[in-house]
Amino acid sequence: MNLFNSLHHQARLNPASPAISCGQTKYCYEEFHDRVVRLGNALLDLGVRKGDRVATLLLNCHRYLELYYATALIGAIIVPLNYRLAPKELAYIMNDSESETLFVDEALLQLIKPVNSELQTLRRTIFTSGSSETPPGMLHYETLVSNASAVLPQVKTEDSDLAGIFYTGGTTGLAKGVMLSHLNLIINAYHMLINLPLIKGEVYCHAAPMFHLANGGAMYGNTMHGSKHTFIKAFDPKIAMETIQSEKVTS
């Protein structure tokens, strides 16, 4: 069992159904699936292997969702970083998790720059911001995706394999990495689907920060259901209300 399987199922069952609406970016499930497969292959091409840690320092967007599924697809372990932490705290998590790959948003570069030299295991940084000029020494997300193979990679995973390491807030000391398997996260999504039955044509808005598991069950559950995902970068009441109206958000 792999978290990617639900996306693969939807792409086969409902390929033309709306999957992503992120600003001007719109993808159906077939296109979403294709981008995830390409991203997974791009990571493999860079040398990322099963069990490797991939850290993410991003605001909410469709690329974050793609990363959750692409890392699962190739058996890598996602390490979502809380952008509310101080640079030293982020460096501690990166080193503690032994993350070798970092995806970073343009808006959050200033959090990692002061501690870049302290990241002991970091081997590659991927810049995720659309068409913006890529900073020196970084790779560009969209270039990697567009140049990668669309052939589904064959990486064997087990239910018990780690899918993510989610760090606690560290309110009483250093943050602790909570290790969750594919099965842990899939069962959590099942619980969400049982308790919050979704309707046909569901439109889910990623309003909670996507680094946090408060968004996790709904994120995976809505893909299982075949919902459309829409996003606000960070919570703002006015933007949230405008998005609910324009995207016809149901949950």
Side-chain angles (χ1 to χ4, degrees):
M1 190 178 289
N2 185 300
L3 285 160
F4 172 79
N5 291 352
S6 60
L7 172 57
H8 187 61
H9 176 73
Q10 283 299 331
R12 293 178 65 187
L13 191 67
N14 300 301
S17 292
I20 300 291
S21 180
C22 187
Q24 299 303 309
T25 300
K26 316 288 182 187
Y27 296 127
C28 65
Y29 265 95
E30 184 176 43
E31 293 166 327
F32 177 28
H33 178 273
D34 178 75
R35 283 178 58 85
V36 168
V37 170
R38 288 177 181 273
L39 179 56
N41 281 319
L43 287 169
L44 291 172
D45 291 342
L46 290 173
V48 178
R49 294 295 179 262
K50 181 179 177 180
D52 288 353
R53 276 68 164 166
V54 176
T56 52
L57 184 60
L58 308 175
L59 297 174
N60 290 2
C61 69
H62 67 281
R63 296 184 184 94
Y64 214 151
L65 190 61
E66 290 167 2
L67 274 162
Y68 271 106
Y69 285 102
T71 50
L73 170 62
I74 65 168
I77 300 167
I78 196 167
V79 183
L81 299 176
N82 181 347
Y83 55 72
R84 295 169 182 162
L85 297 177
K88 288 285 186 182
E89 294 172 306
L90 294 172
Y92 165 75
I93 291 172
M94 288 277 294
N95 292 333
D96 185 65
S97 63
E98 300 180 342
S99 293
E100 295 184 352
T101 305
L102 172 65
F103 285 81
V104 63
D105 193 299
E106 181 180 23
L108 302 174
L109 276 175
Q110 76 279 4
L111 289 176
I112 213 70
K113 281 183 177 178
V115 293
N116 201 61
S117 62
E118 300 174 28
L119 304 178
Q120 299 162 6
T121 58
L122 184 64
R123 298 180 60 186
R124 59 191 74 87
T125 303
I126 294 97
F127 186 61
T128 65
S129 298
S131 59
S132 302
E133 186 177 347
T134 308
M138 295 186 185
L139 301 167
H140 194 274
Y141 185 103
E142 291 300 331
T143 302
L144 291 173
V145 170
S146 63
N147 291 338
S149 169
V151 177
L152 195 66
Q154 301 301 313
V155 180
K156 186 178 179 181
T157 57
E158 306 292 341
D159 291 0
S160 58
D161 286 341
L162 287 188
I165 304 178
F166 301 85
Y167 276 78
T168 64
T171 51
T172 59
L174 295 173
K176 302 166 187 67
V178 179
M179 301 183 292
L180 296 180
S181 69
H182 286 260
L183 186 60
N184 290 149
L185 294 169
I186 287 167
I187 294 299
N188 188 40
Y190 287 168
H191 290 165
M192 191 283 295
L193 290 169
I194 291 168
N195 286 284
L196 296 171
L198 302 180
I199 62 172
K200 184 178 181 181
E202 195 82 43
V203 180
Y204 174 66
C205 181
H206 294 262
M210 292 177 69
F211 65 73
H212 201 291
L213 275 178
N215 187 65
M219 175 177 68
Y220 292 121
N222 274 282
T223 300
M224 290 176 180
H225 176 71
S227 307
K228 182 171 80 171
H229 296 264
T230 191
F231 309 81
I232 55 176
K233 289 185 177 181
F235 187 77
D236 173 274
K238 183 174 183 292
I239 293 173
M241 295 298 285
E242 289 172 349
T243 303
I244 290 168
Q245 184 174 23
S246 63
E247 296 288 347
K248 297 180 173 56
V249 170
T250 57
S251 61

